């Protein structure tokens, strides 16, 4: 051990003994430097570099088994005036930002790219980081299984059976790693990355689930945060955790379907469905009910039929982005004629398996879900009556209802303790992270945050929908640190 390392170890031990820091924090501060190399892949920016970060699989055993986190960067475009590192925190859970320095990072204005190294990563469990898979049945990779749409009559019995089958597969095939995938561990990995980069503080742009990771980081390591942008914000409910995200689809769909219906009833639209928005809604509900009774074969799709829940899932997917409205409209037009379009393309099965395992591990390890079918039966019935478009799915049982492991930690509780350096940006109409949930995060952060609400539709706000007011507000904050004095609305 070098003298520098001996001194660092002595300082660390002393700090723990005095109660100044926790053993977890010491483990983070001892992160090794990164060995940057050229990234593989011809579509990436030539400046993007890649490296591997070694982290403990279990932070309660920092000297135990290690896993690898794949990371990437494009260095600041100016050495003078460089502020630090900007973490690009992906959505999901199960999303990656490894290619984002070459992708959405290049949409950032020049003054932001000058100020920061853009940092991407594949979260723990997600390839090319040390990866995990549950080896689920092919049919269980369908979104109509992972999003727990109930039976046409509202029964949850099949959902409970699916939850048991999928959880058994994860217990059988997921190995030890799947037990250590969680939001808190994602935040710890980011702090280890901060230390490996040699940064005292970091800035971040987290999107969707990335807002929960970013908020968790700001809660767990408040004095390591510089300028944090949380974009399309999750409800941070500390008890229900991801269950609240699923349930909020009820409101998200009701916020967004009227926008689709206006588009789908507009004169001159080649995919026009009806003469009025009210008629579009009625048509959708009738068509979904008919497909519940009389599915249409759909070779090559998963499942290989267009049933009511496949139509509902297509609706949900299409409301994420107004550019996807034609996908839903064309499917409805075809179904009215008893036909189907070509089966939608899907990622390779290993990619689906990996993403499903990371998503399941995170959602099920973050907080315990009820195991009693009666809880879901009651919730589904109430939801179906009040929110017919989503047919009870948002209150139904995901695989976490049968997850074989209890959470190792309590969910992170977001509070107002820490520096006031967070900017929330939020579309007014967002199917996955509605403004009603974002307001819960805003409330939890208190004086630490300011929120910019943007008069836009879709999932993802900053640099996504051409709202100059919202984009300029976020860019100014990242480049200069200047935030609005109070919560702001961008028309």
């Amino acid at each position: 051990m070098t003298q520098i390392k001996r001194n660092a170890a002595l300082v660390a031990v002393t700090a723990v003994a005095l109660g100044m820091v926790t053993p977890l924090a010491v483990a983070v501060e001892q992160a090794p430097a990164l060995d940057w190399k050229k990234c593989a892949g011809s579509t990436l920016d030539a400046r993007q570099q890649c490296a591997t970060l070694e982290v403990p699989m279990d932070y309660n055993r920092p000297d135990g088994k290690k896993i690898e986190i794949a990371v990437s960067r494009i260095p600041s475009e100016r050495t003078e005036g460089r502020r630090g590192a900007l973490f690009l925190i992906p959505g999901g859970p199960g999303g990656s930002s490894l290619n984002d320095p070459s992708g959405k990072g290049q949409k950032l204005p020049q003054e932001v790219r000058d100020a920061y190294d853009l940092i991407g990563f594949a979260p723990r469990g997600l390839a090319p980081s040390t990866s995990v898979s549950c080896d689920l049945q092919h049919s269980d990779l369908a979104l109509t299984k992972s999003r727990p749409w109930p039976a046409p009559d509202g029964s949850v019995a099949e959902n409970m059976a699916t939850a048991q089958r999928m959880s058994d597969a994860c217990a059988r095939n997921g190995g030890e790693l799947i037990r250590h995938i969680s939001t808190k561990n994602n935040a710890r990995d980011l702090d280890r990355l901060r230390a490996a980069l040699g940064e005292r503080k970091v800035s971040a742009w987290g999107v969707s689930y990335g807002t929960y990771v970013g908020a968790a980081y700001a809660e767990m390591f408040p004095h390591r945060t510089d300028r944090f942008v949380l974009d399309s914000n999750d409800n941070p409910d500390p008890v229900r955790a991801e269950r609240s995200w699923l349930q909020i689809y009820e409101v998200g769909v009701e916020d967004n379907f009227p926008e689709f219906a206006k588009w789908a009833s507009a004169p001159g639209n080649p995919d026009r469905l009806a003469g009025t928005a009210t008629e579009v809604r009625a048509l959708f509900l009738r068509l979904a009910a008919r497909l519940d009774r009389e599915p249409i074969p759909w070779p090559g799709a998963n499942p290989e039929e267009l049933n009511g829940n496949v139509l509902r899932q297509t609706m949900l997917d299409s409301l994420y982005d107004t550019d996807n409205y034609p996908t839903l409209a064309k499917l409805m037009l075809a179904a009215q004629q008893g036909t189907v379009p070509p089966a939608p393309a899907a990622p390779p099965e290993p990619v689906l398996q990996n993403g499903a395992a990371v998503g399941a591990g995170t959602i099920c390890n973050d907080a315990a879900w009820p195991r009693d079918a009666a809880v879901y039966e009651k919730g589904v019935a109430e939801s179906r009556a009040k929110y017919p478009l989503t047919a009870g799915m948002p209150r139904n049982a995901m695989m976490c209802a049968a997850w074989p492991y209890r959470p190792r930690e309590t969910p992170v509780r977001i509070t107002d303790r820490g520096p006031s350096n967070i900017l929330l940006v939020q579309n007014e109409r967002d199917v996955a992270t509605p403004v009603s949930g974002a307001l819960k995060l805003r409330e939890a952060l208190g004086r630490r945050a300011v929120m910019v609400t943007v008069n836009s539709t879709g999932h993802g706000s900053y640099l996504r929908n051409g709202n100059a007011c919202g984009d300029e507000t976020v860019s100014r904050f990242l480049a200069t640190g200047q935030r609005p004095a109070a919560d702001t609305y961008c028309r």
Side-chain angles (χ1 to χ4, degrees), residues 184-207:
K184 281 187 171 179
N185 280 340
N186 286 337
R188 293 178 181 122
D189 291 345
L190 288 186
D191 203 56
R192 196 167 178 90
L193 176 56
R194 175 202 58 77
L197 292 169
E199 301 288 347
R200 188 173 63 88
K201 294 184 177 183
V202 290
S203 296
W205 173 17
V207 180

Side-chain angles (χ1 to χ4, degrees), residues 164-403:
Q164 189 67 61
R165 181 175 64 251
M166 294 171 76
S167 293
D168 288 347
C170 289
R172 187 169 57 248
N173 304 314
E176 189 179 359
L177 175 55
I178 203 165
R179 303 186 67 180
H180 297 279
I181 297 173
S182 69
T183 297
K184 281 187 171 179
N185 280 340
N186 286 337
R188 293 178 181 122
D189 291 345
L190 288 186
D191 203 56
R192 196 167 178 90
L193 176 56
R194 175 202 58 77
L197 292 169
E199 301 288 347
R200 188 173 63 88
K201 294 184 177 183
V202 290
S203 296
W205 173 17
V207 180
S208 193
Y209 168 68
T211 66
Y212 191 49
V213 176
Y217 185 90
E219 181 69 28
M220 296 166 67
F221 305 98
H223 299 295
R224 297 301 189 188
T225 61
D226 187 13
R227 297 169 184 168
F228 265 51
V229 172
L230 304 182
D231 175 352
S232 306
N233 297 276
D234 280 314
N235 183 335
D237 187 313
V239 177
R240 294 167 59 84
E242 285 87 339
R243 279 185 67 211
S244 66
W245 307 351
L246 186 68
Q247 182 170 340
I248 212 161
Y249 275 130
E250 296 172 337
V251 176
V253 167
E254 291 294 341
D255 287 348
N256 282 263
F257 194 88
E259 298 299 309
F260 167 75
K262 282 190 291 185
W263 172 88
S265 59
N269 182 347
D271 298 315
R272 192 181 192 196
L273 293 172
T276 68
T278 301
E279 290 171 339
V280 172
R281 181 185 178 98
L283 172 63
F284 178 85
L285 292 171
R286 276 199 316 274
L287 191 55
R290 192 186 88 189
L291 291 170
D292 282 337
R293 300 187 302 270
E294 303 169 7
I296 303 171
W298 202 357
N302 187 14
E304 291 201 327
E305 66 176 27
L306 173 56
N307 57 41
N309 285 339
V310 171
L311 180 67
R312 295 180 184 103
Q313 181 62 49
T314 304
M315 176 266 295
L316 188 62
D317 295 341
S318 298
L319 295 183
Y320 271 69
D321 190 328
T322 57
D323 289 344
N324 295 336
Y325 285 177
T327 300
L328 175 58
K330 291 180 189 299
L331 184 61
M332 291 175 65
L333 289 167
Q336 285 180 280
Q337 304 302 316
T339 64
V340 290
E349 184 151 321
V351 173
L352 292 175
Q353 292 281 6
N354 186 203
V358 173
T362 309
I363 293 170
C364 301
N365 290 333
D366 268 5
W369 285 52
R371 306 181 79 84
D372 185 353
V375 173
Y376 301 106
E377 289 169 352
K378 181 175 184 292
V380 165
E382 292 174 351
S383 183
R384 284 166 68 89
K386 191 172 182 181
Y387 303 100
L389 288 171
T390 44
M393 180 276 289
R395 300 195 208 181
N396 204 356
M398 293 182 73
M399 74 164 78
C400 307
W403 196 244

Side-chain angles (χ1 to χ4, degrees), residues 6 18 25 98 104 116 133 157 163 167-168 175 182 240 247 279 298 325 406 424 434 438 447 477:
R6 287 193 193 98
L18 294 176
L98 198 60
K104 75 175 190 177
Y116 299 100
S133 173
S167 293
D168 288 347
S182 69
R240 294 167 59 84
Q247 182 170 340
E279 290 171 339
W298 202 357
Y325 285 177
R406 302 297 296 175
L424 278 58
R447 63 170 189 81
F477 173 63

